[in-house]
Amino acid sequence: MSLTHLNQRGEAHMVDVADKAESRREATASGFIQMKPETLALLNEGGLPKGDVLATARIAGIQAAKRTHDLIPLCHALPLSKVAIDFHLDEANCRVEVIATCRLNGRTGVEMEALTAVSVACLTLYDMCKAVDKDMEIGAIHVDAKRGGKSGDYQRQTSVTAAPIVTGEGAAGEVSVGSRCDTDSPCVRVKFLAELRERLGVSELTLPLDTLPSTDVGGLKSALLKRDARFARLGEGRVLCAVNQVMALDATPITNDDEVAFFPPVTGG
Amino acid sequence: MIRVQQAAFDAGSEQRQLLEGRTDIGAVVSFTGLVRDFNERPDVNALTLEHYPGMTEVALGEIVAEAESRWPLQGVRLIHRVGRLAPGDPIVLVVVASAHRRAAFEACDFIMDYLKTRAPFWKKEHSITGDYWVAERESDHRDASRWESDNDKIP
């Protein structure tokens, strides 16, 4: 593997592509700009002072793709045959996703053009919205896919570890970061998963260990019930329990900083 | 190898990878579970699979280890997807390799039966008439209990 933009002496140079065969090249890149829910709502309703935000950002992205060679030192000027910019308003995560696709029949790839289009469209979104929200953040700009050319097709793999699906507040599929117990006061961390979470309206909580009448799962259930009557559901029907991710029964002991999860019967596969 | 992932998988390529460079394997059985557009209600548009990260991987590992202790297996690949899936999407893949077909068939069947009753996954179906969590099935427990009696054990 070598860097094509460096010559044998390690100096930057523009790759001579005159002898490369022309082929259909396409690249898709994406990124997002995170904003306050109110800002996203204004953007959606067209209520921002600078006017039609998305239309402006789209033109900016297209223009930027065409001028990528002005910005990136060793990029070739390319006669792009297509630049498309799409926006996806993600209300759940309070962000606008920007997706750019560039295409041409030529001798070099177009991923730099797609990345530039996404970047400049995001910058334009910032500019158009900054009057009402200065905390906006641009992130995760990356190539999703490219086709054609010597190095072949590329498809970005979504990271396996990035997003475990579990137990968010509210919507299924959100990620929950487990809380830690304060070392000074022993406690137990309790999680409620899947349908049980939705029915109870709570994803996780911590309970001081000394509020448990007995330091086992049965004692935890009693303490929860004392705290709120809705936890009576833990005693109804089939509710399963795991202590530190191992299946447990009412008699299973609990100690400081244990993670106890309650969940319905499993339905995978 | 066990994987829990959002991304789709290619059953063919997983099987090829499992078999690559091996000439001692005489049988390979592959099972792929798919999202149906009807289940408890008709017109299911999508389903969301939730799991319990950490425990899921351990539970799947134990199921595969149990299968390996019951049958002479030469390789197992188990992939389960999580997140939002559409009808026709693959959910789960089990590929089992052995010297002989009987062990491969039975171990694959066993792994799916145990997975459905022991691994912490939950399905929520999104249908035209609303969203609901899928209930456990008595038949899944009956299927899994087939493997519990000592008489059923295959060497």
Side-chain angles (χ1 to χ4, degrees), chain A:
Chain A
M1 186 80 61
S2 63
L3 298 171
T4 55
H5 286 172
L6 298 179
N7 65 15
Q8 287 173 341
R9 291 185 299 279
E11 299 157 348
H13 82 133
M14 194 158 164
V15 178
D16 183 352
V17 296
D19 294 332
K20 286 172 84 174
E22 283 208 358
S23 67
R24 165 71 65 90
R25 309 297 196 101
E26 191 173 295
T28 302
S30 64
F32 64 76
I33 178 164
Q34 187 91 35
M35 54 185 68
K36 295 193 179 105
E38 309 86 83
T39 315
L40 188 60
L42 275 175
L43 189 153
N44 205 0
E45 295 155 12
L48 284 157
K50 287 195 179 179
D52 191 335
V53 172
L54 296 182
T56 311
R58 177 174 289 116
I59 299 296
I62 293 169
Q63 291 293 86
K66 292 195 288 184
R67 303 189 58 177
T68 302
H69 68 100
D70 285 338
L71 295 167
I72 312 293
L74 302 176
C75 257
H76 296 84
L78 299 179
L80 294 170
S81 61
K82 171 191 171 176
V83 182
I85 315 277
D86 285 315
F87 299 102
H88 172 233
L89 304 191
D90 181 353
E91 281 166 15
N93 295 309
C94 297
R95 55 174 68 158
V96 179
E97 279 177 27
V98 181
I99 304 113
T101 302
C102 295
R103 186 187 291 162
L104 90 163
N105 288 323
R107 298 189 173 91
T108 81
V110 286
E111 61 268 39
M112 288 315 302
E113 282 69 16
L115 286 166
T116 305
V118 170
S119 305
V120 172
C122 284
L123 289 172
T124 305
L125 288 172
Y126 190 99
D127 183 49
M128 298 289 285
C129 302
K130 68 180 189 293
V132 298
D133 187 351
K134 293 190 173 46
D135 296 329
M136 288 178 291
E137 197 174 319
I138 293 167
I141 296 175
H142 60 255
V143 174
D144 293 298
K146 74 180 281 261
R147 276 201 289 282
K150 196 176 68 177
S151 66
D153 294 353
Y154 163 83
Q155 181 78 43
R156 184 183 172 86
Q157 300 291 316
T158 42
S159 168
V160 176
T161 52
I165 301 294
V166 73
T167 65
E169 300 282 355
E174 273 183 35
V175 181
S176 136
V177 179
S179 53
R180 305 298 306 173
C181 287
D182 188 340
T183 43
D184 298 335
S185 49
C187 78
V188 53
R189 297 173 291 127
V190 190
K191 286 185 168 189
F192 305 96
L193 310 187
E195 186 173 18
L196 196 61
R197 173 188 68 246
E198 291 189 358
R199 295 219 177 254
L200 292 171
V202 56
S203 166
E204 53 190 297
L205 52 84
T206 55
L207 215 59
L209 207 57
D210 60 16
T211 59
L212 273 54
S214 57
T215 51
D216 54 23
V217 172
L220 173 63
K221 284 184 185 171
S222 311
L224 285 167
L225 184 58
K226 201 171 154 196
R227 183 178 159 136
D228 195 317
R230 69 192 151 143
F231 289 115
R233 189 173 281 280
L234 297 178
E236 293 164 8
R238 281 230 310 140
V239 172
L240 308 179
C241 177
V243 174
N244 296 330
Q245 309 198 330
V246 176
M247 293 303 292
L249 300 168
D250 277 1
T252 306
I254 295 173
T255 58
N256 182 33
D257 209 28
D258 276 353
E259 175 177 296
V260 182
F262 292 101
F263 45 83
V266 302
T267 56

Side-chain angles (χ1 to χ4, degrees), chain A residues 158 160 163-167 172-173 191 193-195 197-198 238 242 245-247 259 261 263-269, chain B residues 4 6-7 49-55 80 82 91-92 115-124 133-136 141:
Chain A
T158 42
V160 176
I165 301 294
V166 73
T167 65
K191 286 185 168 189
L193 310 187
E195 186 173 18
R197 173 188 68 246
E198 291 189 358
R238 281 230 310 140
Q245 309 198 330
V246 176
M247 293 303 292
E259 175 177 296
F263 45 83
V266 302
T267 56
Chain B
V4 178
Q6 291 190 52
L49 261 156
E50 178 170 324
H51 78 126
Y52 185 10
M55 183 169 173
H80 202 299
V82 292
I91 305 178
V92 59
L115 183 151
K116 286 185 88 75
T117 49
R118 297 184 179 206
F121 293 100
W122 299 274
K123 283 188 190 129
K124 187 180 197 176
W133 289 91
V134 173
E136 66 175 328
H141 287 279

